[in-house]
Amino acid sequence: MSVGALPEKTKEPILKSSTLVMWAFVTAFFSRILDSVGLPSAVNFLHFATIPFVFGVALLKARPKDSAQIKGVYQILTGLFILLIVTTASGLLNNAGLINVVLQYLLLAEPFMLLLALVTIPMAATSVESSRTWIIRFGILNTALAWIQRFVLRLHLRRGAEDNIKGVFIGQKAGHVVGGAVALTFGAYFLVAAKDKPLWMRIAVAVATFVHMMIADAKQVMAVFAAAFVLLLFTKLKDPAQAIKYLIIVAIVIYGSVWTFFNVFTTWSEDLALTAEGMKLKWVGFPIIISYFHSPLNWWLGLGPGHTIGRLGGWMIPSYKDLLEPLGVTTSPASQAVWNAVASSYFGDKSSMFSPLV
């Protein structure tokens, strides 16, 4: 993160740039908590306003001078522009509502908008350290809540089982997966980057976040992390021997994770063959979606934003239909067809690992 020089002390702004960035992050990270304590469900959409706002502030205020930073900013902006073109083209091809295009774009673009704001808005060293401290606290809170939900409230004994272990993402249908992914990311970051903390503390936090992922039964998170790490090795490491060493470590971690899942945390099945059978449901969405194609361009642009089984079409539109319908949201029967396939499958309510909805 680039730390800009402090400006001349003339007049303090009402809200510092670092404060804006942190509040934007809070609206995304804690929206489910705010919803659960009684705020209107529209609070879950607040980050769609705050993060683009901070992104706009970053573009107006940023004055990057480092060549590598400038290159990174242009790369992010180029990617965001391409994503906008593709999302809009998909919406036009499939007669999707404007709100579909906007929400789909923001769902995919927001992390990169926030990242650009973090690395370009000038911040004092104290602001950077304060933001880092709060991020660490938020990460610890997410895992602490997951442990409380599992070992104190014992929510895994209720309907939904391990999927009830969601950390701060309570009330979100895939909250256990999101919470597990956030936990594992935070644990890896804390272990590697928190050099000012004792080694025992960094290891303890990393282990706690790993257990969080386990008790949430978010095993797909581990699979994605492993695949991402392997791709990172091939793109960053030039020494074959070092790459092989890391690949061996990844293989050991994967084997240990699989063994732990099936011998410690998995309660509904210990049969690998049954798991393989359940994975057939994972792919059922592809033939269903293809059956609704109406143009050769669908192979490149899909069925339109919110018309398939992503976060928008598979989860958000059905959950917030009353809120989105007045805004002109559109749907496709393809989404419901996949949901019907899930409902009719034995594995539909067994584990999100087998869910074709993403």
Side-chain angles (χ1 to χ4, degrees):
M1 181 183 292
S2 176
V3 181
L6 283 171
E8 293 293 329
K9 197 169 184 179
T10 54
K11 185 179 180 181
E12 288 291 326
I14 297 175
L15 281 177
K16 295 189 296 184
S17 298
S18 58
T19 305
L20 285 175
V21 172
M22 287 308 302
W23 275 111
F25 179 84
V26 165
T27 59
F29 197 73
F30 290 107
S31 62
R32 295 291 173 171
I33 294 287
L34 297 174
D35 187 3
S36 68
V37 297
L39 268 67
S41 60
V43 72
N44 291 302
F45 292 82
L46 184 59
H47 61 91
F48 290 129
T50 57
I51 292 180
F53 174 74
V54 171
F55 174 71
V57 171
L59 292 181
L60 292 174
K61 296 187 65 174
R63 298 292 184 271
K65 297 180 179 179
D66 180 76
S67 60
Q69 187 182 32
I70 293 173
K71 181 181 178 181
V73 169
Y74 278 114
Q75 287 175 335
I76 293 175
L77 289 175
T78 300
L80 289 174
F81 179 72
I82 294 173
L83 177 62
L84 177 61
I85 295 299
V86 172
T87 305
T88 303
S90 179
L92 290 173
L93 174 66
N94 296 282
N95 297 316
L98 178 60
I99 188 64
N100 291 56
V101 175
V102 172
L103 290 178
Q104 180 67 29
Y105 178 74
L106 290 178
L107 281 170
L108 298 176
E110 275 189 341
F112 301 98
M113 290 180 171
L114 193 59
L115 176 62
L116 186 141
L118 282 170
V119 301
T120 58
I121 289 181
M123 293 186 190
T126 52
S127 296
V128 173
E129 186 58 33
S130 175
S131 298
R132 177 176 176 270
T133 299
W134 278 109
I135 291 294
I136 289 174
R137 289 172 179 171
F138 295 157
I140 291 175
L141 176 62
N142 178 49
T143 292
L145 285 177
W147 277 60
I148 291 172
Q149 290 161 2
R150 170 60 173 80
F151 298 109
V152 178
L153 302 178
R154 301 180 70 79
L155 298 184
H156 66 293
L157 299 179
R158 301 181 184 179
R159 183 178 180 182
E162 284 77 9
D163 288 3
N164 294 321
I165 312 303
K166 301 176 185 289
V168 301
F169 302 96
I170 56 177
Q172 184 172 332
K173 291 182 179 179
H176 62 296
V177 177
V178 178
V182 169
L184 207 59
T185 304
F186 167 68
Y189 164 77
F190 193 81
L191 179 64
V192 174
K195 298 293 179 63
D196 56 326
K197 306 297 181 183
L199 180 60
W200 67 265
M201 181 184 296
R202 288 153 54 194
I203 294 175
V205 170
V207 170
T209 57
F210 183 80
V211 172
H212 174 175
M213 181 202 65
M214 291 285 197
I215 60 179
D217 196 20
K219 43 188 169 288
Q220 58 268 57
V221 170
M222 193 65 198
V224 172
F225 265 66
F229 186 74
V230 171
L231 288 174
L232 181 64
L233 289 180
F234 283 110
T235 58
K236 297 298 182 182
L237 293 181
K238 298 180 179 179
D239 183 1
Q242 191 176 13
I244 292 173
K245 179 180 70 174
Y246 282 117
L247 285 173
I248 292 173
I249 294 174
V250 170
I252 292 173
V253 171
I254 292 175
Y255 177 82
S257 301
V258 172
W259 184 92
T260 305
F261 275 126
F262 284 97
N263 291 275
V264 179
F265 292 100
T266 301
T267 58
W268 61 270
S269 173
E270 296 182 356
D271 188 352
L272 284 172
L274 192 61
T275 301
E277 183 68 23
M279 287 303 293
K280 293 180 181 179
L281 177 63
K282 190 74 174 178
W283 307 104
V284 75
F286 290 102
I288 292 176
I289 291 172
I290 291 172
S291 70
Y292 284 89
F293 282 3
H294 56 82
S295 165
L297 290 176
N298 289 130
W299 289 97
W300 297 95
L301 298 174
L303 286 179
H307 289 181
T308 54
I309 53 176
R311 182 63 53 200
L312 180 60
W315 306 91
M316 282 186 63
I317 292 177
S319 298
Y320 300 98
K321 192 173 182 180
D322 293 341
L323 186 63
L324 294 175
E325 276 188 338
L327 300 177
V329 73
T330 56
T331 59
S332 166
S335 301
Q336 189 57 51
V338 177
W339 269 114
N340 293 340
V342 172
S344 62
S345 171
Y346 167 79
F347 298 94
D349 61 350
K350 300 303 177 186
S351 172
S352 59
M353 179 68 177
F354 301 139
S355 175
L357 294 107
V358 294

